[in-house]
């Protein structure tokens, strides 16, 4: 089973940038699509972005399209989320997970907190 650990979150100013990392251990992630989600307190986790097994296809929620970029390095067992032009509404805990048929199937980790505030 894949274990996932998110990192890279921080407090940033509006308009700033962050790069989140999702480091995988255990099973290889190369056979699976991956995704980033975010959750505001007491709300459901929303899908932010997803990426296919080899990184050839990506998908984004409309709220982040054009600002966020998901990528992966299977050799490093890591998935990234580059976040630019951050807005206060991007504030959330960000999680990564394994996707199978569009469904998150892995265990949810602690996530990493992103706070966008002036």
């Amino acid at each position: 089973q894949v274990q996932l650990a998110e990192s890279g979150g921080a407090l940033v100013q509006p308009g700033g940038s962050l790069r989140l990392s999702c480091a995988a251990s255990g099973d290889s992630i190369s056979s699976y699509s991956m995704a980033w989600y975010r959750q505001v307190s007491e709300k459901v986790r929303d899908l932010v972005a997803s990426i296919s097994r080899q990184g050839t296809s990506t998908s984004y929620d409309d709220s982040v399209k054009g600002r966020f970029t998901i990528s992966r390095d299977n050799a490093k067992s890591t998935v990234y989320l580059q976040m630019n032009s951050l807005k206060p509404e991007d504030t959330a805990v960000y999680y990564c997970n394994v996707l199978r048929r569009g469904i998150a199937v892995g265990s949810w980790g602690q996530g990493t907190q992103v706070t966008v505030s002036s």
Side-chain angles (χ1 to χ4, degrees):
Q1 187 171 3
V2 178
Q3 292 81 51
L4 303 169
E6 302 92 345
S7 63
L11 171 63
V12 297
Q13 300 292 104
S17 297
L18 284 174
R19 188 195 194 200
L20 306 185
S21 296
C22 172
S25 60
D27 293 346
S28 173
I29 65 169
S30 62
S31 296
Y32 308 108
S33 295
M34 300 291 293
W36 283 96
Y37 296 78
R38 64 186 178 188
Q39 182 181 37
V40 179
S41 296
E42 302 182 26
K43 297 184 67 177
V44 299
R45 292 182 180 91
D46 295 322
L47 179 64
V48 176
S50 62
I51 187 167
S52 61
R53 297 177 182 183
Q54 299 305 122
T56 55
S57 179
T58 57
S59 182
Y60 299 91
D61 183 78
D62 287 343
S63 66
V64 306
K65 200 172 189 68
R67 300 187 298 118
F68 291 10
T69 302
I70 187 172
S71 62
R72 67 192 297 163
D73 186 339
N74 288 342
K76 295 181 178 180
S77 296
T78 303
V79 182
Y80 304 96
L81 185 67
Q82 178 67 47
M83 306 185 297
N84 299 325
S85 302
L86 284 162
K87 304 175 180 180
E89 49 263 48
D90 295 319
T91 296
V93 178
Y94 285 72
Y95 302 86
C96 63
N97 215 318
V98 176
L99 281 185
R100 292 175 185 162
R101 296 186 178 274
I103 304 298
V105 297
S107 298
W108 296 106
Q110 295 187 60
T112 185
Q113 176 71 52
V114 172
T115 302
V116 185
S117 177
S118 59

